[in-house]
């Protein structure tokens, strides 16, 4: 059976693969959430900076 000595060995390998896939999925979701939060913070800082610069610097007509 694909290099496994018995069915129990095969199942252990399958469970290990499933566990690793789940860990990778969770880690990917955490990275994505952190990236989204950093993007939102960056956008907020950028908007605040633009608002203060508009208030300080008068626009030429």
């Amino acid at each position: 059976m694909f290099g496994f000595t018995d069915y129990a060995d095969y199942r252990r390998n399958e469970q290990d693969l499933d566990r690793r896939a789940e860990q990778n999925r969770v880690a990917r979701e955490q990275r994505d959430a952190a990236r989204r939060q950093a993007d939102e913070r960056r956008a907020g800082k950028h908007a605040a900076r633009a608002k203060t610069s508009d208030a300080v610097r008068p626009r030429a007509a």
Side-chain angles (χ1 to χ4, degrees):
M1 232 182 11
F2 307 109
F4 299 109
T5 56
D6 59 0
Y7 185 72
D9 191 25
Y10 168 77
R11 283 300 303 147
R12 271 193 302 277
N13 184 62
E14 285 291 311
Q15 290 170 346
D16 186 45
L17 290 175
D18 291 343
R19 183 182 50 77
R20 280 192 268 161
E22 178 67 15
Q23 286 175 337
N24 288 335
R25 183 189 64 76
V26 169
R28 189 177 329 109
E29 288 177 356
Q30 288 174 342
R31 281 193 309 269
D32 291 347
R35 189 175 299 121
R36 269 193 307 277
Q37 288 175 351
D39 289 345
E40 290 169 2
R41 262 196 311 274
R42 204 173 305 116
K45 286 180 182 178
H46 181 71
R49 194 169 34 235
K51 189 178 286 188
T52 58
S53 69
D54 286 346
V56 171
R57 185 171 11 112
R59 297 281 181 194

